[in-house]
Amino acid sequence: MGREGSDAQIDQRGLVVGNYCHDVLIKDGQVIGESLGGASSFVFNVFDGLSVSCDYVSKVGSDFAYSVPHRPLSSPSSPTTLFYAHLTSPDGVDGDSGAQDRVLKRVRACEAIEPSDLPDSRFDFGLAVGVAGEIRPETLERMIELCGVVFVDVQALIRVFDSVDGSVRLVGLRESGFFHLIPRIGFLKTSAEEAPFVDVEEARKVCCVIVTDGKDGCRVYWRDGELQISPFASVQIDPTGAGDSFLGGFVAGLMSGLVVPDAALLGNLFGSLTVSQIGIPKFNSKLMERVKDVSRGRKMHCHRRDAGSQFNKSVGHEEFHTSLSLAAKCLSTFDGEEDEWDSKKSPDQGAPQSICHESNGL
């Protein structure tokens, strides 16, 4: 846990809460990849490229195999959360496809993040991005008290896990234990697959709801209206983390001064870039600079807008989409520059094998 980026371009201080994980990707019974996982790692990847400064609170076990820029809390009594992602052949593009294109199983789980684990400070914004049930209602409530606005990925609230094989299933938001807190958050992100468990029509009355839908982009709902936000084309290889990257891009855009529709475009962009790679994606540094340059021209002047206008598609929205799309097409390939974080986070060659082999019987 630590504060990053004294030279950050976005002058807002954020708090990101959610555990790091070990992810093992399996296709046709064969392990095709092992990597650092957890929504926080994907969010950081976007925030770092867009110069967003945050504190990160995450827990891992003594078996944690990766070096990360923000030191996680170490649990003395539980292992690092481990997920197996069983992939099927993709049938579309972009992230959060409406079709089931992977089966997740939680093999091991680290302990929960408690309210006392959060820093006793004030933050401009917070992200609740648990993936394995590590965020409890009392922890989310404490985040709401500490942060000016809280963004929540609904997977942190409605995932439950089979006691035998760890398969992930979803429960209704009303039955999750978090429903009473929804009127106190600012934004709730859900995938099209998760949306039926949320009751979007009820939730939109008290907060902004964003439903991501893969190749169809995303849809933004609020009390007085809704908008469809265009997607970006991408060939899907691994959907893992697409929704996390979407949320990172959306929050970065909103905190930099973009209106909601433009920020959602930024989220769609990073979701589409993420599914085209396995694990945490490598973003071209020139692309990130171009995205920041294009976004600067789209910043809203808050003192000139009423509260409702932040949801309106302003003049130039489609041109913004075109500019981002062109930048992605020209610059999306990693440029080969040394990726300092990637070199630091990579474990020894033998480490990923131990992650998988230790869990063969689970």
Side-chain angles (χ1 to χ4, degrees), residues 205-268:
K205 296 176 183 178
V206 294
C207 71
C208 178
V209 180
I210 304 165
V211 180
T212 58
D213 197 13
K215 61 184 177 60
D216 294 319
C218 70
R219 197 160 190 87
V220 180
Y221 298 85
W222 68 102
R223 177 184 288 273
D224 300 317
E226 60 187 79
L227 285 172
Q228 181 70 34
I229 307 299
S230 300
F232 294 84
S234 180
V235 176
Q236 178 171 295
I237 296 175
D238 174 16
T240 305
D244 309 322
S245 293
F246 169 91
L247 189 58
F250 175 74
V251 174
L254 209 60
M255 291 300 104
S256 72
L258 295 180
V259 292
V260 170
D262 287 351
L265 271 182
L266 207 57
N268 282 350

Side-chain angles (χ1 to χ4, degrees), residues 70-82:
H70 307 271
R71 181 180 298 175
L73 302 172
S74 181
S75 170
S77 59
S78 58
T80 301
T81 299
L82 171 64

Side-chain angles (χ1 to χ4, degrees), residues 135 168 256:
I135 296 179
V168 178
S256 72

Side-chain angles (χ1 to χ4, degrees), residues 312-341:
N312 295 334
K313 286 185 180 180
S314 55
V315 175
H317 176 82
E318 298 305 328
E319 288 78 3
F320 183 48
H321 179 274
T322 299
S323 296
L324 292 175
S325 183
L326 287 173
K329 288 179 181 178
C330 295
L331 300 170
S332 60
T333 302
F334 185 53
D335 55 14
E337 296 176 0
E338 182 179 1
D339 185 332
E340 183 179 1
W341 181 43

Side-chain angles (χ1 to χ4, degrees), residues 8 10 13 24 27 54 76 96 99 143 162 180 194 226 230 232 270 299 301 305 312 322 356:
I10 297 176
R13 183 184 177 202
V24 177
K27 189 171 184 179
C54 284
D96 285 337
M143 289 186 66
D162 185 90
H180 67 290
E194 296 160 338
E226 60 187 79
S230 300
F232 294 84
F270 283 104
K299 290 181 182 179
H301 302 287
R305 295 176 180 266
N312 295 334
T322 299
C356 183

Side-chain angles (χ1 to χ4, degrees), residues 24-305:
V24 177
L25 277 63
I26 301 170
K27 189 171 184 179
D28 299 324
Q30 300 294 319
V31 174
I32 62 171
E34 301 182 17
S35 68
L36 173 67
S40 292
S41 59
F42 286 90
V43 169
F44 169 80
N45 196 38
V46 175
F47 278 2
D48 184 54
L50 296 179
S51 304
V52 181
S53 178
C54 284
D55 287 16
Y56 292 76
V57 180
S58 179
K59 282 186 177 178
V60 298
S62 59
D63 61 334
F64 188 53
Y66 298 89
S67 296
V68 293
H70 307 271
R71 181 180 298 175
L73 302 172
S74 181
S75 170
S77 59
S78 58
T80 301
T81 299
L82 171 64
F83 275 101
Y84 281 0
H86 297 266
L87 303 181
T88 60
S89 298
D91 60 355
V93 295
D94 290 342
D96 285 337
S97 170
Q100 179 73 22
D101 49 10
R102 62 175 177 165
V103 175
L104 278 180
K105 294 186 177 183
R106 188 187 69 177
V107 180
R108 296 194 299 244
C110 195
E111 65 183 74
I113 298 171
E114 304 292 344
S116 59
D117 294 321
L118 305 183
D120 190 16
S121 302
R122 294 291 302 172
F123 298 89
D124 297 295
F125 64 95
L127 281 75
V129 288
V131 294
E134 68 268 30
I135 296 179
R136 294 173 173 169
E138 55 267 31
T139 303
L140 179 57
E141 186 168 21
R142 182 58 177 158
M143 289 186 66
I144 293 169
E145 294 169 354
L146 294 174
C147 303
V149 59
V150 175
F151 301 80
V152 177
D153 192 326
V154 80
Q155 70 180 1
L157 314 185
I158 65 172
R159 278 185 175 183
V160 294
F161 306 90
D162 185 90
S163 60
V164 177
D165 68 358
S167 295
V168 178
R169 65 181 181 87
L170 306 176
V171 298
L173 184 57
R174 287 183 179 272
E175 293 73 52
S176 68
F178 292 90
F179 187 74
H180 67 290
L181 296 173
I182 301 305
R184 299 174 60 189
I185 69 173
F187 296 84
L188 183 68
K189 178 261 171 192
T190 175
S191 68
E193 179 188 356
E194 296 160 338
F197 296 86
V198 172
D199 192 346
V200 172
E201 289 304 314
E202 284 299 313
R204 70 189 291 185
K205 296 176 183 178
V206 294
C207 71
C208 178
V209 180
I210 304 165
V211 180
T212 58
D213 197 13
K215 61 184 177 60
D216 294 319
C218 70
R219 197 160 190 87
V220 180
Y221 298 85
W222 68 102
R223 177 184 288 273
D224 300 317
E226 60 187 79
L227 285 172
Q228 181 70 34
I229 307 299
S230 300
F232 294 84
S234 180
V235 176
Q236 178 171 295
I237 296 175
D238 174 16
T240 305
D244 309 322
S245 293
F246 169 91
L247 189 58
F250 175 74
V251 174
L254 209 60
M255 291 300 104
S256 72
L258 295 180
V259 292
V260 170
D262 287 351
L265 271 182
L266 207 57
N268 282 350
L269 174 67
F270 283 104
S272 71
L273 293 173
T274 297
V275 301
S276 65
Q277 302 182 44
I278 292 178
I280 298 173
K282 296 179 175 68
F283 296 137
N284 183 312
S285 60
K286 294 179 181 178
L287 170 62
M288 301 303 275
E289 288 303 316
R290 179 59 180 159
V291 168
K292 287 191 281 189
D293 287 343
V294 172
S295 298
R296 287 189 191 104
R298 295 292 299 164
K299 290 181 182 179
M300 72 176 188
H301 302 287
C302 296
H303 63 282
R304 296 180 182 177
R305 295 176 180 266

